[in-house]
């Protein structure tokens, strides 16, 4: 049995500013259609670039700490508190980024649908990421996994 307060971290990323540890608690609990991961984010780190999932919805639960949430558009960044829950809908309106601007580790539970194929949009870099496997999982051999620039809007 898995526990969100004492997770077994099996994945990590250490490519500043993207630094975190991840425990796939949904898979450990036997989930098939939903993903759930606990992220431990050290001070000064960011989970991922600002991004939107075009096919998957995510739900964030702040377990500990005070992460800073950035969403798309002209919405100001917001510091979240432990216990807050935020939904990120599928599509560009659900663009989000989480940073740890505090002096203490942040713990996040992110629950998501697990639909493939998936397309991610990265507004800051003008990129698309298209893949035929489930987000948050390792790419299987022979997977379709392509990053490309967004089409120019002026064309």
């Amino acid at each position: 049995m898995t526990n969100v307060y004492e997770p077994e971290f099996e994945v990590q990323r250490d490519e500043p500013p993207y630094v975190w540890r991840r425990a796939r608690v949904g898979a450990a609990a036997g989930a098939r259609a939903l993903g759930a991961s606990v992220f431990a984010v050290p001070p000064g780190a960011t989970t991922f670039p600002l991004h939107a999932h075009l096919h998957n919805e995510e739900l964030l639960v702040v377990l500990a700490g005070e992460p800073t949430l950035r969403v798309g558009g002209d919405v100001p960044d917001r510091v979240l508190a432990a216990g807050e829950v935020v939904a990120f809908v599928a599509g560009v309106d659900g663009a989000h980024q989480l940073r740890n601007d505090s002096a203490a580790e942040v713990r996040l539970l992110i629950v998501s649908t697990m639909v493939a194929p998936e397309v991610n949009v990265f507004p800051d870099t003008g990129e698309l990421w298209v893949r035929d496997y489930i987000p948050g999982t390792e790419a299987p051999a022979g997977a379709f996994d392509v990053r490309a620039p967004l089409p120019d809007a002026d064309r």
Side-chain angles (χ1 to χ4, degrees), residues 79-132:
V79 175
L80 304 176
E84 284 197 67
V85 179
V86 181
F88 307 116
V89 297
V92 293
D93 289 342
H96 59 283
Q97 179 185 49
L98 294 156
R99 300 187 315 267
N100 183 357
D101 296 336
S102 75
E105 181 180 80
V106 163
R107 293 273 177 113
L108 309 168
L109 173 65
I110 299 178
V111 179
S112 67
T113 54
M114 301 287 280
V115 178
E118 173 63 300
V119 177
N120 290 106
V121 175
F122 296 91
D124 290 342
T125 61
E127 281 185 286
L128 285 174
W129 182 16
V130 181
R131 57 200 165 182
D132 66 354

Side-chain angles (χ1 to χ4, degrees), residues 28-80:
R32 295 182 183 175
L34 289 176
S37 292
V38 172
F39 284 85
V41 185
T46 301
T47 55
F48 300 97
L50 179 68
H51 67 285
H53 298 268
L54 298 189
H55 295 120
N56 286 284
E57 184 168 270
E58 291 183 321
L59 186 75
L60 165 71
V61 180
V62 179
L63 298 176
E66 296 181 327
T68 299
L69 171 64
R70 176 182 172 214
V71 297
D74 295 328
V75 178
D77 294 356
R78 184 165 71 99
V79 175
L80 304 176

Side-chain angles (χ1 to χ4, degrees), residues 1-13 20-32 34-40 48 63 107-112 114 129 131 133-140:
M1 182 174 282
T2 191
N3 184 308
V4 297
Y5 296 113
E6 297 176 11
E8 292 186 31
F9 294 104
E10 72 272 6
V11 180
Q12 65 181 10
R13 184 170 183 186
W20 43 258
R21 294 177 297 144
R22 179 183 196 168
R24 293 181 174 136
V25 296
R32 295 182 183 175
L34 289 176
S37 292
V38 172
F39 284 85
F48 300 97
L63 298 176
R107 293 273 177 113
L108 309 168
L109 173 65
I110 299 178
V111 179
S112 67
M114 301 287 280
W129 182 16
R131 57 200 165 182
Y133 57 94
I134 295 172
T137 64
E138 298 301 320

